[in-house]
Amino acid sequence: MDFGVLLGLAYNQFVAELHDHLAERGFTHLRPAFGFALKVLAVRPMTTSQLAARLEITPQGAAKTVEEMVAAGFVERVSDPADGRVKMLHLTERARALLAAGHDFHVDFERRLSAESGRPRSGRCARCSPRWWHAATRPRAWPGRCVSSE
């Protein structure tokens, strides 16, 4: 099987296990866009327009995602103290719990992967290919998805 296909299958399995882990903790009906948006908002509150620019998506797409995250209880709109007309997006405690559960899954997954491969955690997959790691952490790594915290 081609390497790219194997990577895709491995990613799909990773996401399925992540969603199972999160569902066991009460987080269901998550959309793929939530993870990217919540990670960005965890760095600092911002407006919907700023979120759209940060994620490199349309303002309409960001507004739709924000509405869904508000409805799911992950984001709340708070008036900006400097200008009450401006609504800043803040994570709720539920969103912070979701991010913490996701982080716990990632740590455990890496631990299991290290145990299965016989390599210590200091040999993280991120260090397997510095070129891939560098490319994956750049804003243009995934079109329409900004994953770095710059």
Side-chain angles (χ1 to χ4, degrees), residues 65-117:
T65 298
V66 167
E67 285 300 324
E68 292 169 342
M69 291 189 305
V70 168
F74 295 125
V75 171
E76 60 186 357
R77 293 181 183 93
V78 177
S79 294
D80 186 342
D83 182 349
R85 298 170 297 171
V86 175
K87 300 296 182 198
M88 302 298 289
L89 305 174
H90 288 256
L91 295 184
T92 63
E93 287 304 314
R94 177 172 163 75
R96 293 191 188 287
L98 171 62
L99 289 173
H103 175 75
D104 291 345
F105 172 81
H106 282 83
V107 169
D108 183 61
F109 188 89
E110 183 182 334
R111 181 196 53 74
R112 288 184 287 129
L113 190 61
S114 294
E116 290 170 12
S117 70

Side-chain angles (χ1 to χ4, degrees), residues 34-68:
F34 286 9
F36 294 103
L38 294 174
K39 290 276 192 177
V40 169
L41 291 172
V43 175
R44 67 175 176 82
M46 60 184 63
T47 66
T48 301
S49 295
Q50 291 168 330
L51 180 64
R54 187 72 181 97
L55 294 174
E56 299 179 354
I57 62 175
T58 66
Q60 296 85 353
K64 181 176 187 270
T65 298
V66 167
E67 285 300 324
E68 292 169 342

